[in-house]
Amino acid sequence: MARSDAPLDSPAKHPPAVVLGVVTTDLLNTSEPLPLEAAQQALKLLPGVAADSHRHPVEQAVSPDLFYGVDCRLATIRGAQPRAIGTVRARAVLTAGHVLQGSARVDVVLDASTRRMPWSYYAACTGTVEAINKADPADLVSGFLKTPNGSGLLDLGGIGTQVMALLDDIPQVDGRADMRTVASRLRWAVLVREGVDLDAEVVAGSDGAFQVRMTAPSELVPRIVAFCEILALHQWLLAALKNAFDRAGRSPKPMDELDPALSYLGHVWNPTAHLPTEIAWLWEALEHDAQLTWEWESTVTRVRDKLSLLTRKAIEGTLHKEFL
């Protein structure tokens, strides 16, 4: 138990050594996309706090931040896993009324104290956890990106999923989505260094999902969050459309796979719509290497061509029956 006379020097007075985040993306389980006004109401997750929104060029609503208390371990590659206590910041993002994301992140403070403090000490700085034991910042970044979720470890993806689940019971969500999808998770981590230029690396993890490792000053973190949400959204869009095309090739009713995929997702791709100017170069570099937009356009063309072929065959079959 913490001593009552322990110094309560809030972690707010200590800059974060690293920032860790996970963006979980999936289709909102409803048959029709939510209009922007309904999305704004659905994402008003805190009483009296409105959701942020954009109408152009792609409709998007963003919930206010929610905070979740955690007492867990932080993954490392070397040495012991330090205990971390504090609160995680999370929000929901709904794009085009149909694609839902749970975005969770946390600032990690080191060397602020050496023992467990009263909860009021940690609650004084929302969105921050304090590592009680010694830890190397670079090791925390590597451990977070490379270590699978495990019992007792910080689970930002799980928290993001909890935020997404808050929309399951709203009246506008009818639970009748016509398209089958699989949720994806993008992990990102920032080694905080003040006064340096942004340095970034985007790689594919063992599950195929992108991981983002950055070194950046703390002032760029909000823009990094936006970039990672945009990257997670577009990687999920591409995977969802490709999976629908693959399922159509094995299905006795391929149009049941292709038609909703194109209807739900075909108009959503626009990675620069809400991309912060200061970090736009990172998307351009990613496009140069991975050519995601080219792959998206190619997949959309294949889906449309397949739908056209199936429609033509259906018409020909109907005409053939009429002449028999």
Side-chain angles (χ1 to χ4, degrees), residues 4 9 18 36 40 43-45 79 83 98 132 174 196 212 219 226-227 273 285 291 299:
S4 60
D9 186 11
V18 300
L36 184 59
Q40 291 170 328
L43 269 69
K44 188 179 178 181
L45 301 180
R83 182 182 180 186
H98 243 150
I132 295 177
D174 58 27
V196 303
V212 182
E219 65 182 19
F227 169 81
Q291 300 191 32
T299 305

Side-chain angles (χ1 to χ4, degrees), residues 69-311:
V70 295
D71 185 343
C72 57
R73 297 285 176 179
L74 297 176
T76 59
I77 301 299
R78 308 183 304 272
Q81 297 172 336
R83 182 182 180 186
I85 308 171
T87 60
V88 170
R89 180 188 310 269
R91 66 184 185 181
V93 182
L94 185 63
T95 303
H98 243 150
V99 185
L100 179 62
Q101 295 178 287
S103 180
R105 77 180 198 266
V106 68
D107 295 353
V108 180
V109 169
L110 304 179
D111 302 325
S113 65
T114 57
R115 60 184 181 274
R116 177 71 159 85
M117 295 293 193
W119 181 248
S120 58
Y121 169 85
Y122 303 104
C125 190
T126 53
T128 299
V129 297
E130 180 182 319
I132 295 177
N133 311 104
K134 291 288 185 179
D136 174 64
D139 192 23
L140 291 178
V141 167
S142 296
F144 178 74
L145 293 177
K146 296 180 180 180
T147 305
N149 288 335
S151 177
L153 292 178
L154 176 67
D155 184 9
L156 295 180
I159 291 174
T161 300
Q162 289 183 49
V163 175
M164 297 167 71
L166 296 176
L167 273 71
D168 288 344
D169 298 325
I170 66 173
Q172 299 93 331
V173 175
D174 58 27
R176 298 198 305 269
D178 293 326
M179 181 180 180
R180 292 180 291 164
T181 60
V182 177
S184 68
R185 287 181 176 176
L186 179 146
R187 294 191 185 199
W188 59 270
V190 179
L191 185 63
V192 178
R193 293 286 185 269
E194 304 301 343
V196 303
D197 293 331
L198 172 65
D199 181 55
E201 179 186 29
V202 181
V203 299
S206 58
D207 58 355
F210 282 132
Q211 295 182 349
V212 182
R213 179 195 299 261
M214 297 188 180
T215 301
S218 56
E219 65 182 19
L220 283 183
V221 169
R223 295 167 181 82
I224 290 170
V225 173
F227 169 81
C228 291
E229 290 170 351
I230 290 167
L231 176 57
L233 168 66
H234 287 83
Q235 185 180 33
W236 180 88
L237 286 172
L238 181 57
L241 192 61
K242 291 173 69 175
N243 288 340
F245 185 84
D246 291 342
R247 287 196 306 270
R250 304 187 298 269
S251 172
K253 297 181 178 180
M255 292 188 71
D256 290 349
E257 299 286 352
L258 299 177
D259 188 61
L262 197 59
S263 175
Y264 284 9
L265 309 180
H267 61 292
V268 182
W269 190 274
N270 193 342
T272 61
H274 308 298
L275 188 65
T277 303
E278 300 88 341
I279 209 166
W281 65 268
L282 185 53
W283 179 266
E284 294 171 0
L286 182 63
E287 281 281 25
H288 180 270
D289 293 336
Q291 300 191 32
L292 298 179
T293 296
W294 177 88
E295 191 172 3
W296 169 261
E297 292 172 349
S298 175
T299 305
V300 168
T301 298
R302 295 179 72 192
V303 170
R304 287 176 174 158
D305 288 348
K306 186 69 172 180
L307 278 171
S308 297
L309 178 62
L310 292 170
T311 302

